[in-house]
Amino acid sequence: MEATALPTLRDQLLDRRRQLESVAAASIGTDEIERLLETVDATLGRMNAGTFGLCATCHDPIEPDRLLADPLTQYCLDHLTPVEQRALQQDLDLALRIQRELLPRTEIAFDGWDIAYHYQPAGPVSGDYCDLIPGCTNDGYFLIGDVSGKGIAAAILMSHLSATLRTLISLDLPLCDLIERASRVFCETTLPNHYATLICGHASPSGDVELCNAGHPPPLLIRAGGEIERLEATGVPIGMFCHGEFASRTVRLASGDLLLLYTDGLVEAENESGVEYGIERLCALASSAKGRPKTVIDACVRDLAAFRGAPAFRDDLTILVVSRA
Ligand SMILES: [Zn+2]
């Protein structure tokens, strides 16, 4: 808690106290008002004693953002009361359901294209972004991204990114313009240290895929014969600079070719010895990848699970596969 915040919180509490007293004078629900008055007085007492902002159980500082939101808070996140734990869990459950609704169907097919994805948050919600959006002329967009940070904050940014891109894609802009606009919006409407890596792919009926890769790990282009090409980034992450140009590249997929996109939760996953899964292992797996996107994704997820062993996931994981039938 910053020292400057304390007088403000004290004023807020004194104001609450006055309001409670005026309600008490009108004798509405007196027992509850008395209980609230006692809570406010106890908090003011802790301010005077210098113990304000410390957890009543472990005496460590309470998280500053929680204290600002509710100066009456007496426990750190580790020592919430059962009622507070239930309320927090309900908030998280609802956030999860809202985020799930932002995701597209897990598989789509259109005009020779077959696309599927796997989305797995490390916690209740994810900072990964994934979307599949049909275009106007038998074309389609696939998107994968990773916003900075983790947990609820990252999930809020992910939903912001989702709304921005869905709106911009409906305008049918050239791909680089689309990403430039998304980057500007994201930069102007988020905190300075917040950004997102993103790949936006546009698949046309001809078999061409135009890709704009804003600082995201390189997708793999897997030819039907097993050769692999890494498609490196064509720009910086979006939201890092408010003005900046993005480039794209176009690759043509023939029948049986695949594109494999992923977030760093895949290649940076560690096993029990702290060894990373890594892009080399992914390439080795990909060189023998065959079949429909769902089959390829399942093989990736199985291989990752065999490599990792027991450790809990520390990062969100998304895998997206595009195939040309
Ligand atoms: Zn505590």
Side-chain angles (χ1 to χ4, degrees), residues 54-62 74-80:
L54 301 179
C55 171
T57 302
C58 68
H59 309 296
D60 281 345
I62 297 169
Q74 284 193 66
Y75 301 95
C76 73
L77 273 181
D78 290 339
H79 298 108
L80 295 180

Side-chain angles (χ1 to χ4, degrees), residues 24-308:
S27 67
I28 310 163
T30 319
D31 287 354
E32 175 63 4
I33 301 295
E34 256 175 40
R35 193 189 62 75
L36 286 169
L37 263 174
E38 282 169 17
T39 312
V40 171
D41 284 344
T43 307
L44 287 165
R46 287 200 300 280
M47 281 184 172
N48 293 334
T51 57
F52 175 77
L54 301 179
C55 171
T57 302
C58 68
H59 309 296
D60 281 345
I62 297 169
E63 297 75 15
D65 50 339
R66 292 183 54 242
L67 205 53
L68 280 173
D70 180 10
L72 304 181
T73 309
Q74 284 193 66
Y75 301 95
C76 73
L77 273 181
D78 290 339
H79 298 108
L80 295 180
T81 65
V83 172
E84 288 172 326
Q85 274 175 5
R86 263 199 307 284
L88 185 62
Q89 189 58 51
Q90 281 167 359
D91 276 351
L92 283 172
D93 291 346
L94 185 57
L96 167 68
R97 280 168 52 202
I98 290 170
Q99 188 168 50
R100 286 274 158 191
E101 289 301 311
L102 294 176
L103 294 174
R105 288 206 327 264
T106 53
E107 286 179 83
I108 64 166
F110 58 93
D111 226 309
W113 295 105
D114 220 343
I115 308 179
Y117 72 90
H118 171 82
Y119 188 85
Q120 189 176 337
V125 290
S126 175
D128 279 2
Y129 166 65
C130 177
D131 215 345
L132 306 173
I133 305 170
C136 313
T137 50
N138 295 325
D139 56 336
Y141 295 85
F142 52 90
L143 301 108
I144 188 168
D146 188 355
V147 304
S148 51
K150 286 197 185 0
I152 297 286
I156 292 172
L157 288 173
M158 175 275 187
S159 69
H160 178 36
L161 190 61
S162 165
T164 303
L165 285 160
R166 283 221 154 218
T167 307
L168 288 171
I169 281 176
S170 70
L171 299 179
D172 206 16
L173 299 164
L175 196 66
C176 296
D177 284 3
L178 170 79
I179 300 305
E180 274 165 38
R181 289 198 198 192
S183 181
R184 191 161 66 239
V185 170
F186 205 70
C187 183
E188 287 171 354
T189 54
T190 56
L191 293 170
N193 55 344
H194 286 158
Y195 58 88
T197 66
L198 175 77
I199 296 175
C200 182
H202 181 216
S204 309
S206 64
D208 279 351
V209 174
E210 186 182 7
L211 285 165
C212 184
N213 180 346
H216 198 79
L220 305 181
L221 172 57
I222 308 158
R223 295 296 182 188
E227 310 88 75
I228 290 178
E229 188 184 347
R230 295 182 198 184
L231 306 174
E232 299 294 341
T234 54
V236 296
I238 72 161
M240 205 166 242
F241 302 100
C242 288
H243 302 280
E245 294 191 350
F246 287 84
S248 70
R249 65 180 293 175
T250 299
V251 291
R252 173 158 291 201
L253 270 70
S255 176
D257 291 349
L258 298 164
L259 267 177
L260 191 156
L261 299 84
Y262 52 91
T263 52
D264 56 12
L266 176 60
V267 288
E268 292 177 9
E270 291 182 359
N271 66 11
E272 286 168 55
S273 318
V275 177
E276 278 192 359
Y277 183 78
I279 195 163
E280 298 304 333
R281 184 171 171 127
L282 180 62
C283 286
L285 179 83
S287 63
S288 59
K290 292 255 177 324
R292 292 175 62 90
K294 175 81 170 60
T295 313
V296 176
I297 288 170
D298 288 347
C300 273
V301 172
R302 271 200 309 275
D303 190 59
L304 178 65
F307 169 82
R308 287 181 61 250

